[in-house]
Amino acid sequence: MNVKLAENYGFCFGVKRAIKIAEENIGSSTYGPLIHNGKEINRLQEDFQVSLVEDISTFKEGDKAVIRTHGIPKDELALLHEKKIDVIDATCPYVTKPQQICEEMSNEGYDIVIFGDVNHPEIKGVMSYAKKGVTVVESVEELEGKFFYEKIAVVAQTTRKVDEFMKVCNHLMRSHKEVRVFNTICNATFDNQDAVKALANESDVMVVIGGKNSSNTKELHSISKDNCKDSYLVEGPDDLDSAWFLNKKDCGVSAGASTPDWIIKQVTAKIKELS
Ligand code: SF4
C-alpha cells in the first residue's frame, strides 16, 4: 500500500511558537493545556518540567504562568497580573487578533457575532473581550430568531470552515445595513484543509492524526470524510486497526495543527507495518 502525506499538515506557526516559549521557560506552568495534544504536553512535562495548572487560584506570587495558544478570558489574565504572577503570553497572534477586534468593535457600539464553538477555550477568551451583545453561533441556522442592532461585527473561530463562515455573513448582510466581516480564520487552517481535501480525493483510506479534543483535527477529519468515506481519526499508533487497510491501495495521512512530528512518524511507520 502506498502511504502519502498531505502537502501541508501538522504543527502550525502558533503551536511551534508556543512550544518554543514553553521549552525556554523550564519549570514554568501552563494555565490550561498549552496545546490540544496530551502526548506533547507530557513530553514538555518530562523534558522541560513544564507543569499543567487547571485551577487559577493555585498560582502564587512569583510563579511563571505560560498562557496557552488558545488564550484565556480577559478577567483571568487580569487576575494573574493582580496576583503578581510572571505572565508569559504564548497566545497565538491569530487568536489575539479576534480578541482585539471584539474589544474595539464592542467599544464602538457594534453587536458582536462569533462563528464558533461557545465551549471552546479560544471562543471563551474572544467573547470576554466584548463589552456586551455577543452572540456565538455554530451554524447559520442558529441565527434564526436572533435580534441584532444595525451595526454588527463578525469574527470566526480560527479553525472554522470558510464556506460555513460565509453563509453566516451572507445571512446577516441580507437583514442588516452594516455588517463588518473580519476573516479571522487562520492560513494554517486553510492550507491543511485544502491539502487534506486534495489527498482524500485520491486516497482509498485516510488517517488523520491528532488529539480527539483538537478542534482543527476534528475539522480535518470531517473534510477528509466528506471526500473519502474511509477516514479515521487517531491519536497515536495504538489506535490504528489493520482492518482499515485491507484491500486498499493508497493511504493518505494528515495531522492537526497541534500534532508533533514524532507522533506522525510513529503512526506512518505503523501503517506501513500493518499494510
Ligand atoms: S491553527 Fe492557526 S490560530 Fe491556531 S495556533 Fe495554529 S496558527 Fe494559531
Side-chain angles (χ1 to χ4, degrees):
M1 191 178 66
N2 303 314
V3 179
K4 190 174 169 188
L5 280 158
E7 204 160 306
N8 290 290
Y9 63 91
F11 271 2
C12 58
F13 147 81
V15 167
K16 278 189 199 150
R17 176 178 171 274
I19 288 173
K20 186 163 175 280
I21 291 173
E23 288 179 350
E24 284 166 0
N25 286 281
I26 295 174
S28 62
S29 304
T30 66
Y31 176 41
L34 184 70
I35 60 171
H36 274 162
N37 190 291
K39 291 179 197 288
E40 182 66 1
I41 285 173
N42 291 344
R43 187 191 70 87
L44 287 171
Q45 165 94 64
E46 277 160 27
D47 297 353
F48 296 89
Q49 296 78 55
V50 175
S51 59
L52 170 62
V53 170
E54 299 274 12
D55 180 357
I56 199 165
S57 68
T58 58
F59 280 110
K60 296 182 305 297
E61 186 173 339
D63 283 350
K64 269 188 177 183
V66 179
I67 305 299
R68 62 191 176 206
T69 45
H70 290 128
I72 60 173
K74 193 178 174 181
D75 58 336
E76 292 188 341
L77 188 60
L79 183 63
L80 289 173
H81 285 301
E82 211 176 279
K83 290 176 82 165
K84 300 197 168 43
I85 310 299
D86 183 4
V87 175
I88 302 143
D89 195 0
T91 309
C92 175
Y94 293 126
V95 173
T96 311
K97 193 73 199 165
Q99 292 176 348
Q100 289 167 342
I101 292 169
C102 250
E103 187 159 45
E104 281 169 31
M105 290 290 100
S106 191
N107 283 341
E108 287 181 31
Y110 285 76
D111 269 355
I112 309 290
V113 174
I114 303 174
F115 172 52
D117 173 4
V118 71
N119 294 312
H120 192 282
E122 175 189 325
I123 297 308
K124 286 185 182 164
V126 172
M127 283 171 78
S128 71
Y129 283 81
K131 272 207 307 219
K132 59 158 189 72
V134 56
T135 303
V136 183
V137 293
E138 283 238 60
S139 67
V140 67
E141 289 76 23
E142 288 181 20
L143 285 172
E144 290 303 334
K146 297 250 177 350
F147 173 79
F148 302 105
Y149 290 101
E150 278 308 291
K151 295 178 3 168
I152 306 173
V154 203
V155 296
Q157 188 171 348
T158 51
T159 47
R160 288 285 146 159
K161 286 182 189 162
V162 71
D163 293 349
E164 300 296 316
F165 183 45
M166 281 162 69
K167 281 187 203 163
V168 169
C169 300
N170 284 342
H171 180 94
L172 290 168
M173 275 191 276
R174 252 183 250 125
S175 46
H176 293 82
K177 293 236 177 330
E178 188 179 347
V179 180
R180 295 195 59 182
V181 175
F182 297 87
N183 183 356
T184 48
I185 298 173
C186 94
N187 284 338
T189 308
F190 284 140
D191 293 346
N192 285 1
Q193 288 181 358
D194 288 349
V196 83
K197 187 174 176 183
L199 186 59
N201 271 311
E202 59 181 61
S203 303
D204 308 313
V205 54
M206 284 290 296
V207 174
V208 177
I209 314 161
K212 287 187 177 149
N213 59 346
S214 154
S215 155
N216 80 86
T217 303
K218 285 192 280 186
E219 196 72 58
L220 282 182
H221 179 231
S222 144
I223 294 172
S224 181
K225 226 173 162 44
D226 288 346
N227 294 279
C228 170
K229 66 175 178 41
D230 291 325
S231 294
Y232 304 95
L233 198 168
V234 300
E235 293 201 331
D238 295 343
D239 294 341
L240 293 167
D241 182 340
S242 57
W244 299 345
F245 309 108
L246 273 178
N247 306 319
K248 303 288 190 210
K249 210 167 104 244
D250 295 300
C251 172
V253 177
S254 179
S258 47
T259 310
D261 267 349
W262 59 270
I263 295 182
I264 300 168
K265 285 199 180 104
Q266 284 180 355
V267 172
T268 45
K270 183 82 184 280
I271 294 174
K272 285 177 187 160
E273 217 180 284
L274 291 174
S275 62

